Amino acid sequence: MARLCIVKGRVLDPANGIDERLNVYIDDGIIRELSEAAPGGEWEVLDASGCWVMPGLIDMHVHLRQPGQEGKETIRTGTRAAAAGGITSVVPMANTSPVIDDATGVEYLLRIARAEGLVRVWPIGTVTRELAGRELSDIGEIVAAGAVAVSDDGRGIMDGCVMRRALQYCKQFNLPILIHAEDHNLSAEGVMHEGAFSTIMGLPGQPSESESTMVARDCLLAEAVGGRVHVCHVSAKETCDIIRFFKSRGVAVTGEATPHHFSLTDEAVDGYNTHAKVSPPLRTEEDRAAVCAALADGTLDVIASDHAPHMAIEKELEFDQAPFGMVGLETMWALVLDRLVHGGLLSPLEAVRKCTENPARILGIARGTLSPGAEADVAICDPEWEWRVEPEKFQTKGRNTPFAGWKLRGKVRDALVSGRFVLREGEVVDATPLP
Ligand code: DOR
Ligand code: ZN
């Protein structure tokens, strides 16, 4: 394998506190050295002038739809979309059909990912069998087969006793539970945030409490049991306050924000725009600002896309009939740069940390850093690259994005997985199968 030296870039490696101009030496798929020394003739040189050289991004919340809904996405198209967005590791949620609730499902995913994935795929399993919220899945088997977490994402776990047992069980494996916090009695038939705007729209709403009350419950249970919870896609101000409070008590809780929740409000559903229909829903400007503040003060540790592709014909249904979700792999990092970094809310190093070091630490995966000896998963972004979101050019099969037509500043130019290009000059390189 070629020996590559990435020169003249601004290296951002939050795990090692590095933010300086250095050359990155990659040999045999491994980071060898970060140094100021100029490469000799035996190194292929990649010029990263004006760019940031970062660990490959990790998106710990995506839906790749395989098995069962390959019309919406496959491991192949979903990992191509990841590569296009500079994401070198993805964590697909287990709400496929069948759901991933045993070792066979995890093994299937790993097999397909090895054969067809452009980037690394880290499987997870469900917390409960069939996502039904009643009996626990074969969590021990799921972990032994290689899952890095469990989640019933897509549905809230309504039974507190089940959640407590899951936390007790997962504690043995030091495994985090990724929480989709939703009280379905409170969210009921709601299709958007419940507030002034849902009244104007004449649509049934989901109150913020359908999320916040469940987060409070799960934090209290985690505290009692000594377990670990990671709150997915935080949408409400009160949820931020609750996570902040429990962190101050030393509870092992982490939080995640999506680009749509830090960029948009419920007014995006104006015109009954189904591309803005998502679970949990986009909320008010006060909630959006609270999510941004919680990212800035460290209450929320992770940014993840919740990439949720759906068929065009489904999103063309009436608002209340259309499915929840939007694609995000190809716009996530650009929105982080455009909204949060250029917006002055996060430093470059903190932004990179939320998409690399923190998800890697939460999941216990050996990724998210440029330390010598680490796998050479690397992303090189041009923070000034101005581009327009054109869904028809996406690698994902999904076209369901509320960001179509947006002009964004910042984009990943090149990405490497174990030292091999999967994105070069903004074009996806088909490098399958990965080493
Ligand atoms: O909007 C969403 N879509 N939220 C979820 O929790 C699930 C996801 C999906 O699977 O489509
Ligand atoms: Zn979810």
Side-chain angles (χ1 to χ4, degrees):
M1 190 177 289
R3 306 170 90 193
L4 179 70
C5 185
I6 304 167
V7 300
K8 298 182 185 165
R10 174 179 177 183
V11 175
L12 293 162
D13 184 17
N16 292 305
I18 293 172
D19 177 357
E20 59 183 289
R21 185 175 295 266
L22 288 169
N23 297 336
V24 179
Y25 286 82
I26 297 167
D27 183 14
D28 204 17
I30 303 291
I31 307 279
R32 294 297 169 195
E33 191 185 354
L34 309 182
S35 89
E36 288 175 0
E42 69 276 27
W43 294 87
E44 183 191 336
V45 172
L46 181 68
D47 191 323
S49 303
C51 291
W52 300 353
V53 183
M54 334 176 278
L57 305 174
I58 300 169
D59 189 344
M60 70 178 284
H61 190 151
V62 304
H63 297 270
L64 298 185
R65 307 301 190 203
Q66 191 175 355
Q69 292 186 297
E70 287 84 354
K72 296 190 183 199
E73 196 78 292
T74 62
I75 301 281
R76 178 149 197 88
T77 58
T79 56
R80 281 184 71 92
I87 292 154
T88 55
S89 279
V90 291
V91 181
M93 287 295 175
N95 65 337
T96 48
S97 45
V99 301
I100 309 297
D101 63 0
D102 60 14
T104 316
V106 175
E107 286 159 7
Y108 165 83
L109 269 183
L110 285 171
R111 195 167 57 245
I112 302 291
R114 253 193 307 273
E116 295 176 17
L118 261 78
V119 306
R120 299 289 173 197
V121 176
W122 306 87
I124 67 174
T126 62
V127 181
T128 68
R129 263 180 230 284
E130 303 284 343
L131 283 177
R134 285 189 289 273
E135 273 174 87
L136 294 190
S137 307
D138 298 326
I139 294 174
E141 273 187 33
I142 288 171
V143 174
V148 294
V150 286
S151 180
D152 273 8
D153 184 60
R155 283 198 65 77
I157 295 175
M158 293 289 288
D159 186 329
C161 186
V162 169
M163 181 57 85
R164 190 171 67 141
R165 211 176 306 126
L167 282 162
Q168 284 166 333
Y169 199 73
C170 288
K171 192 183 164 188
Q172 299 178 60
F173 307 102
N174 189 29
L175 199 70
I177 302 183
L178 317 182
I179 307 282
H180 173 109
E182 180 173 353
D183 180 330
H184 291 275
N185 292 324
L186 283 170
S187 59
E189 303 302 315
V191 293
M192 65 176 291
H193 172 64
E194 181 183 282
F197 204 65
S198 63
T199 308
I200 293 168
M201 299 287 288
L203 289 170
Q206 302 185 6
S208 293
E209 303 80 63
S210 52
E211 173 179 280
S212 57
T213 58
M214 294 303 256
V215 173
R217 181 200 72 177
D218 291 347
C219 286
L220 285 163
L221 290 173
E223 181 170 44
V225 166
R228 295 175 58 196
V229 291
H230 171 80
V231 183
C232 294
H233 44 48
V234 169
S235 66
K237 175 182 183 298
E238 296 77 11
T239 305
C240 299
D241 294 339
I242 289 163
I243 295 172
R244 193 177 290 113
F245 173 71
F246 279 95
K247 279 191 161 183
S248 77
R249 286 163 68 108
V251 176
V253 54
T254 50
E256 166 190 298
T258 69
H260 44 279
H261 290 110
F262 69 62
S263 303
L264 301 170
T265 68
D266 53 353
E267 302 206 8
V269 309
D270 196 19
Y272 302 93
N273 178 7
T274 58
H275 288 162
K277 180 175 176 182
V278 66
S279 164
L282 302 169
R283 300 195 190 272
T284 65
E285 174 55 25
E286 201 188 352
D287 294 298
R288 191 199 65 79
V291 168
C292 289
L295 280 166
D297 75 9
T299 298
L300 299 179
D301 309 79
V302 169
I303 296 167
S305 70
D306 195 5
H307 176 81
H310 289 293
M311 312 276 273
I313 45 165
E314 295 174 297
K315 281 291 191 180
E316 281 159 15
L317 294 168
E318 281 167 27
F319 195 90
D320 57 341
Q321 298 297 313
F324 292 95
M326 53 183 73
V327 294
L329 281 165
E330 289 162 86
T331 47
M332 177 171 86
W333 184 246
L335 286 160
V336 171
L337 283 173
D338 193 276
R339 304 280 109 181
L340 303 179
V341 178
H342 297 315
L345 272 154
L346 289 184
S347 68
L349 203 62
E350 285 309 311
V352 175
R353 195 191 304 281
K354 291 187 197 289
C355 298
T356 59
E357 183 197 358
N358 287 351
R361 190 189 64 245
I362 290 164
L363 299 168
I365 63 178
R367 289 294 189 283
T369 171
L370 299 174
S371 297
E375 284 292 316
D377 289 8
V378 183
I380 301 171
C381 90
D382 176 349
E384 301 301 329
W385 184 346
E386 296 198 11
W387 64 289
R388 238 176 72 111
V389 180
E390 294 170 291
E392 60 282 3
K393 294 194 180 156
F394 281 167
Q395 299 291 332
T396 170
K397 291 189 181 184
R399 297 290 175 266
N400 50 305
T401 172
F403 298 109
W406 280 40
K407 283 209 179 74
L408 298 174
R409 180 152 63 104
K411 199 182 202 320
V412 175
R413 192 189 79 180
D414 309 293
L416 299 123
V417 175
S418 295
R420 279 168 62 176
F421 282 97
V422 293
L423 184 75
R424 193 158 199 171
E425 297 286 330
E427 297 293 328
V428 173
V429 181
D430 211 326
T432 51
L434 291 170

